[in-house]
Amino acid sequence: MTKGTVKSILLVGVGGQGTILAAKILTQGLMEAGHDVKMSEIHGMSQRGGSVSSQVRYGEKVYSPVIERGSADLLVSFEKMEALRWLEYAKKDAKAVVNDCEIMPMPVIIGSAAYSGGILDELKARIDTTVIDAADEAGKLGNPRVMNIILLGAAAKLIGIDNLDWDGIISANVKPAFAEINKQAFKRGTELCAI
Amino acid sequence: MRTLMTGDEALARGAYEAGVAFASAYPGTPSTEILENITGYKDIISEWASNEKVAMEAAAGASLAGARSLASMKHVGVNVAADPLFTFSYTGVNAGMVLISADEPGQHSSQNEQDNRWYAVSAKLPMLEPSDSQECLDMMKAAYDLSEEYDTPVLMRITTRVAHSKSPVSCGERAAVPVRPYVKNVAKYVTVPSLAVKMRVKVEERMGRLKAFSEKTPLNYIEKVSRADTVRDGSRIGVIASGMAYYYAKEVLGDGASYLKLGFTNPLPDALLDEFYTLVDKVYIIEEHDPYLEQWVKSRGYSCIGKDIIPPYGELTPDVLRKAILGGELEGPAYDRSVIIPRPPALCAGCPHRGLFYELAKRKNTVIAGDIGCYTLGFADPYNAMDFVVCMGASFSSGHGAQRVFTASGSENRVVGIMGDSTFFHTGINSLIEVLYNNSKTICIILDNRITGMTGHQENPGTGKNAAGDAAPEIDIESVVKALGAKNVASVNPNDLKAVRKALDDAYSKDGPSVIITRWPCVLKRLSAADKAEFGADVFTQKYGVDGEKCIACKMCVKAGCPALSCVSEKIKENSGKMKIIIDQGMCAGCGVCAQICPKQAIMPS
């Protein structure tokens, strides 16, 4: 019922992976491109290694900052199992970009459960999925922490908003010392989706 | 030029633009960022209070002295601040005063859900409920004008999604609001019974005038939609909503309904309601938590649909609303969810609480009273080291009551209370007095991680810094505890399991009160010069690794519950049985707890 076309991007991962910064930069860029935007996130106790999500919506006029189940146009997951956890929020014809990364939840660590194999296959069978080894790519760039911006670049490319002034937006949102590597990370992300 | 702001940021900006000169708060999700952002406005004196009650009182005092003031807190904080709030409602203000209550539907980071709109009714206060960040900013300015015009503190009520959602905001300039002259006025401000009975009457008169305001303010308005699809089954559809619920309703029903949008929600506008009901036939009351608006509508003799289809608990997301009103849900891909393993929050790698919980978990005949902080996670696997949690500061006092009964009824149970440093300063200090004064053998443990951890690292009276990050007097917990009269006091490094065991053994052997202070910084803390001097410049930089030859895969170390440590079957196979346990070198923060647990000395500095 939302006016015009409103698109929803769901960024998910594990507390501490940098989803919030990526979502903030994404939302800032969309606003500067002239869209109405809303972004929602949950912080607090869930930061402590729990499952986290940042929700970004943009378009002519956005009402709810929260994405409904079955309505996200793009799922950006920083961790494999989190992609599957949040997949129910994606549209049937949504796209997904998934980081090829496993972070063990506590039940796995203490041996009461096993981390499932075959998650990427399950995802690919359900939805148009692009898999990126963002940690490896970030390592090649020289800083493992820019993994989140690589995924952001990939997401921007997938949803067709990679033509905004991302260099400027990134520079305005990270410390000057890290601006250059984050710009490179964004570019690398777009390249990984172009192939 | 519009700026992207969360509701919390916009409330801070609104306070700045309204000319607020004093702000006080105790951190609590989802309200914490309000004061954090206010500290960025140097024209405002901004302070962390030791708890919400004193934050409210300090803001009241600032108002009485003539400055526009603010106190902010999470919903349960208003319970703590309720005493001064109710009385300040009687005296009224000198300069404007606003209390922000951030409620938490869905309990993302809270021990309960409560609908603090009832506080406005009960304390007889005007209440505002913004729906997005722009309204947060605008309503703050309106709130100060209201507070001064009607001589009353104002309740600004938000919820998590308003507090933590970003949307574009147009900012203005700071209003020049000079400090009002202070004039002694005993009849207005001294609440002895003979004077307070007169104030009581004035409060009722004020509510009458505020009712008239509610009818005419543009904060409350009707959005009439005349399109054909607002009529369903011959009925014209209407929605009454406030706060974020208004946008959820718009998301699901869009232009398919007329709206009564309420921004000013105490007292409520009866005449506007009457007018709305001339335009619509079938009305949905869309609100999170309690049937606050619904009871009002029904008390006016109207029929409506509300809590009979919308749950009074949990978050009211558009999903919930769509199902309740339209009877369906949007559909995503169908897939097998059974392979998804829960990912509950866990103590971080290097968390200084780990060593204590590992040791406590092994104690027999022990009942553990928990408190509010990251350390509440001690309740979970693999520690299972918590029996009950009440509220901020309750672990020692609730533990004391339990210990009294256990002892009197012949039970061998020993009660251990656990709370953090910030919680100790909040209300825990009162609880410790309860234990000491009543000579209870409750074992009181203060987990001093040198910061307020769970809410994202705010300074507190024990850290030596103030809200702005400048040097402040540091209140030493051990000195406080001893000054209160505690005789058995031990300070230990919680990463030293032997020292923790010894402190616990000593405490268990005593028949009177014992206090144990575990002192080690939060692994996420930005260390100060003092921290580095005390804990070492290289703290958290050491890494531990596993010697695959010595490891026998006994899995004793996983009982530490460390997220850096894993025992993954696939990886064991890949390493042909040699490497049994893996320590993530990126996550390991070198606490060494796992190395002390390992019976084969297979874990060592790498």
Side-chain angles (χ1 to χ4, degrees):
Chain A
M1 284 286 184
T2 295
K3 269 189 194 168
T5 50
V6 168
K7 287 195 181 281
S8 301
I9 305 174
L10 181 62
L11 298 97
V12 303
V14 177
Q17 281 193 296
T19 50
I20 288 179
L21 177 65
K24 183 184 162 192
I25 292 174
L26 175 62
T27 314
Q28 190 79 37
L30 291 164
M31 184 180 73
E32 287 177 20
H35 296 286
D36 186 26
V37 291
K38 279 186 180 163
M39 168 193 164
S40 188
E41 64 203 29
I42 290 295
H43 10 127
M45 202 180 220
S46 52
Q47 284 179 314
R48 307 291 172 252
S51 169
V52 295
S53 72
S54 289
Q55 319 194 10
V56 177
R57 307 192 71 218
Y58 66 102
E60 187 190 333
K61 174 69 189 167
V62 181
Y63 293 129
S64 167
V66 179
I67 299 172
E68 285 180 70
R69 279 190 193 82
S71 76
D73 296 278
L74 177 66
L75 174 66
V76 186
S77 183
F78 287 46
E79 201 270 353
K80 276 161 43 178
M81 192 178 301
E82 292 312 308
L84 209 54
R85 190 185 315 281
W86 292 90
L87 179 61
E88 60 176 336
Y89 281 81
K91 282 180 179 165
K92 284 180 177 168
D93 61 349
K95 291 180 180 177
V97 54
V98 179
N99 190 13
D100 190 5
C101 156
E102 287 180 3
I103 298 177
M104 298 303 144
M106 194 49 68
V108 175
I109 288 171
I110 63 173
S112 66
Y115 195 100
S116 330
I119 285 180
L120 291 179
D121 292 336
E122 173 73 7
L123 281 167
K124 285 176 182 168
R126 307 293 170 196
I127 192 173
D128 178 0
T129 302
T130 304
V131 179
I132 286 177
D133 189 341
D136 182 52
E137 294 292 338
K140 283 184 204 160
L141 289 173
N143 185 345
R145 296 204 60 81
V146 299
M147 187 181 82
N148 57 345
I149 305 302
I150 292 174
L151 289 162
L152 175 63
K157 179 75 183 179
L158 273 180
I159 207 155
I161 52 167
D162 52 317
N163 55 348
L164 305 181
D165 174 24
W166 289 106
D167 280 359
I169 297 157
I170 289 167
S171 299
N173 281 284
V174 301
K175 286 183 182 159
F178 298 107
E180 193 49 44
I181 192 166
N182 276 297
K183 283 189 247 178
Q184 287 173 21
F186 188 90
K187 186 160 169 282
R188 186 66 192 135
T190 60
E191 288 164 3
L192 289 167
C193 270
I195 303 162
Chain B
M1 162 85 185
R2 296 197 304 168
T3 312
L4 195 59
M5 286 187 177
T6 60
D8 281 353
E9 288 173 285
L11 288 165
R13 179 72 199 183
Y16 168 76
E17 291 184 15
V20 166
F22 180 89
S24 184
Y26 184 79
T29 308
S31 72
T32 311
E33 297 89 341
I34 299 168
L35 193 95
E36 283 186 327
N37 280 284
I38 288 179
T39 59
Y41 299 109
K42 299 303 173 195
D43 298 307
I44 304 177
I45 301 167
S46 52
E47 298 179 347
W48 288 123
S50 58
N51 66 37
E52 295 86 354
K53 176 176 181 284
V54 298
M56 175 69 209
E57 290 157 348
S63 159
L64 297 180
R68 287 191 165 186
S69 70
L70 170 126
S72 58
M73 53 200 65
K74 70 183 293 170
H75 59 295
V76 284
V78 182
N79 303 336
V80 181
D83 198 359
L85 178 66
F86 277 61
T87 307
F88 197 46
S89 170
Y90 273 32
T91 66
V93 304
N94 180 11
M97 191 268 155
V98 174
L99 168 65
I100 304 174
S101 166
D103 294 9
E104 238 219 338
Q107 294 177 250
H108 299 282
S109 203
S110 300
Q111 71 268 37
N112 77 345
E113 280 185 339
Q114 65 183 46
D115 193 330
N116 277 7
R117 293 180 295 181
W118 300 115
Y119 269 114
V121 177
S122 196
K124 300 179 184 294
L125 301 172
M127 171 167 57
L128 298 169
E129 286 190 80
S131 296
D132 61 18
S133 299
Q134 184 70 58
E135 286 192 359
C136 282
L137 189 155
D138 295 341
M139 285 193 189
M140 277 302 279
K141 295 201 271 191
Y144 283 96
D145 292 341
L146 259 171
S147 175
E148 289 171 2
E149 189 180 341
Y150 291 86
D151 193 9
T152 174
V154 173
L155 181 66
M156 178 74 65
R157 190 257 189 175
I158 59 167
T159 56
T160 305
R161 291 292 177 185
V162 174
H164 284 174
S165 293
K166 283 183 192 259
S167 55
V169 173
S170 299
C171 298
E173 297 298 319
R174 179 170 167 87
V177 182
V179 171
R180 294 182 166 200
Y182 175 73
V183 180
K184 183 172 175 175
N185 186 346
V186 168
K188 185 172 185 312
Y189 295 120
V190 177
T191 54
V192 292
S194 60
L195 298 173
V197 290
K198 293 172 187 153
M199 298 173 198
R200 174 77 187 86
V201 177
K202 280 191 176 170
V203 166
E204 290 305 321
E205 289 167 0
R206 182 178 78 202
M207 287 308 279
R209 286 186 289 125
L210 282 164
K211 187 94 179 166
F213 172 84
S214 183
E215 301 287 5
K216 66 174 199 281
T217 173
L219 297 169
N220 294 330
Y221 59 90
I222 290 171
E223 225 176 83
K224 186 175 175 335
V225 179
S226 308
R227 282 172 29 163
D229 60 357
T230 60
V231 180
R232 283 210 302 272
D233 303 328
S235 297
R236 295 167 299 170
I237 306 296
V239 166
I240 302 176
S242 63
M244 185 55 84
Y246 165 72
Y247 278 124
Y248 290 160
K250 295 280 280 190
E251 182 71 30
V252 172
L253 295 171
D255 289 338
S258 294
Y259 294 84
L260 174 57
K261 155 63 160 113
L262 298 169
F264 184 87
T265 48
N266 192 51
L268 286 155
D270 296 342
L272 194 64
L273 181 70
D274 293 343
E275 185 188 337
F276 189 60
Y277 265 84
T278 65
L279 305 171
V280 294
D281 310 301
K282 186 175 184 182
V283 173
Y284 293 96
I285 313 291
I286 297 177
E287 58 189 327
E288 284 182 304
H289 283 335
D290 296 342
Y292 174 80
L293 298 173
E294 184 176 341
Q295 285 189 10
W296 164 60
V297 170
K298 287 181 171 165
S299 77
R300 301 286 302 159
Y302 295 110
S303 65
C304 61
I305 303 161
K307 292 297 162 192
D308 34 359
I309 62 165
I310 296 167
Y313 47 80
E315 263 203 294
L316 174 61
T317 57
D319 308 70
V320 176
L321 207 53
R322 186 178 300 280
K323 200 172 178 184
I325 294 184
L326 302 178
E329 286 172 291
L330 303 178
E331 271 186 47
Y335 63 105
D336 178 13
R337 290 185 64 82
S338 68
V339 297
I340 302 168
I341 297 161
R343 191 186 297 277
L347 297 179
C348 304
C351 175
H353 305 330
R354 175 163 289 107
L356 175 75
F357 281 120
Y358 175 78
E359 284 301 327
L360 267 181
K362 297 192 293 188
R363 299 273 156 168
K364 305 286 182 219
N365 296 329
T366 295
V367 170
I368 302 173
D371 219 299
I372 310 294
C374 290
Y375 44 84
T376 317
L377 294 172
F379 89 95
D381 278 339
Y383 319 108
N384 297 304
M386 205 160 284
D387 288 73
F388 49 84
V389 177
V390 183
C391 65
M392 284 288 288
S395 60
F396 298 168
S397 37
S398 60
H400 160 68
Q403 183 68 74
R404 270 278 183 267
V405 171
F406 286 136
T407 306
S409 58
S411 161
E412 284 179 22
N413 279 341
R414 200 60 195 264
V415 182
V416 177
I418 288 176
M419 70 172 70
D421 48 340
S422 193
T423 307
F424 176 70
F425 290 115
H426 180 277
T427 38
I429 198 162
N430 308 61
S431 304
L432 182 60
I433 291 170
E434 168 82 353
V435 168
L436 297 172
Y437 171 59
N438 290 300
N439 199 31
S440 171
K441 66 176 192 178
T442 309
I443 298 167
C444 300
I445 306 182
I446 302 165
L447 286 68
D448 182 6
N449 63 353
R450 315 300 301 131
I451 201 74
T452 312
M454 189 167 77
T455 44
H457 294 173
Q458 292 73 38
E459 304 296 341
N460 69 48
T463 64
K465 287 186 180 180
N466 63 18
D470 299 326
E474 178 178 334
I475 300 174
D476 178 59
I477 294 175
E478 187 173 328
S479 307
V480 171
V481 167
K482 286 179 173 167
L484 293 176
K487 298 287 184 290
N488 307 315
V489 182
S491 280
V492 297
N493 169 0
N495 295 331
D496 181 345
L497 298 186
K498 204 171 155 190
V500 172
R501 273 197 297 276
K502 181 181 178 303
L504 286 172
D505 286 344
D506 286 350
Y508 273 73
S509 73
K510 300 286 192 308
D511 210 28
S514 297
V515 178
I516 299 170
I517 301 162
T518 66
R519 188 172 161 109
W520 201 260
C522 171
V523 67
L524 302 176
K525 187 184 178 186
R526 187 171 297 168
L527 299 172
S528 66
D531 290 328
K532 286 178 183 164
E534 181 177 351
F535 304 105
D538 58 348
V539 65
F540 303 129
T541 57
Q542 179 66 57
K543 306 284 176 191
Y544 280 76
V546 181
D547 181 338
E549 299 296 331
K550 289 184 182 170
C551 177
I552 55 165
C554 67
K555 297 183 186 174
M556 289 285 283
C557 55
V558 302
K559 292 207 170 80
C562 178
L565 225 149
S566 53
C567 168
V568 183
S569 54
E570 284 176 38
K571 291 195 175 166
I572 291 171
K573 278 182 212 152
E574 278 168 22
N575 289 284
S576 54
K578 280 188 179 174
M579 186 77 80
K580 311 293 174 66
I581 295 288
I582 296 160
I583 295 177
D584 183 321
Q585 296 296 293
M587 287 172 89
C588 178
C591 69
V593 166
C594 57
Q596 294 168 69
I597 297 170
C598 179
K600 295 288 173 189
Q601 288 79 48
I603 302 177
M604 56 197 65
S606 48

